[in-house]
Amino acid sequence: MLTTLKTPYTDTRASDLAWALGREPLPALAVLDLRLADARVQLRLLGASHQVLLEEERGTCSETVACIPGSSTPLPLGVAKRIGDWEYEFAAHVETLSQGSFAGRAQELLALVAEHPLGLAGTFPGSPHAFTAMLAQREEGQVRWRTWHAYPQEGRLVATRTRVGVRVAAAI
């Protein structure tokens, strides 16, 4: 699903993104509710990036990657945590592209997510290549999602990927 977000594009930077686990739902500009087997997943586009809410019988998980004023946790390159019975893994990568490459990559990603039944993308008015896109899936008992945050004014694309799944007991 592709939507135009009803908010002006503000001059944020990739380096302004912060990461948080466990935040309450923040006001969203667009929401996609998904049912992936026994998991309920809500993809949320915020005025300043994304939030994913995951709920299963075993518990809940809330991931927020956004430009949040006053946040002291910058975007990490990687995180691995245990959340109850789950293992949570997060990774982020920042790509710097030329203006021409950026436009092509933006169009490619928006096309990928816009028509995908498990995808949500939002573009900002006034800047055709400023967007946030999200894509979820369930595979082998794990819920996974990928996100892309575009900052055309600096030619940066921030990509994240997350995996949440049941902890596997170590063999003895």
Side-chain angles (χ1 to χ4, degrees), residues 5 7 23-31 43-52 63-68 120 122 124 131-132 134 149:
L5 301 174
T7 188
R23 279 189 174 262
E24 291 297 315
L26 296 171
L29 299 172
V31 173
L43 304 179
R44 302 169 59 81
L45 295 177
L46 311 177
S49 294
H50 87 259
Q51 187 172 50
V52 177
E63 173 190 278
T64 306
V65 173
C67 303
I68 302 169
L120 175 62
F124 292 88
F131 69 90
T132 299
M134 309 169 72
H149 308 265

Side-chain angles (χ1 to χ4, degrees), residues 24-42:
E24 291 297 315
L26 296 171
L29 299 172
V31 173
L32 180 63
D33 289 307
L34 302 171
R35 183 79 174 182
L36 303 176
D38 58 346
R40 285 185 299 282
V41 178
Q42 188 176 74

Side-chain angles (χ1 to χ4, degrees), residues 4 7 17 26 39 44 66 74 79 82 116 125 142:
T4 300
T7 188
L17 282 176
L26 296 171
R44 302 169 59 81
V79 173
R82 287 188 174 163
H116 197 288
Q142 300 176 341

Side-chain angles (χ1 to χ4, degrees), residues 70-88:
S71 179
S72 60
T73 307
L75 188 66
L77 295 178
V79 173
K81 285 184 159 281
R82 287 188 174 163
I83 304 172
D85 290 339
W86 289 335
E87 291 182 354
Y88 168 91

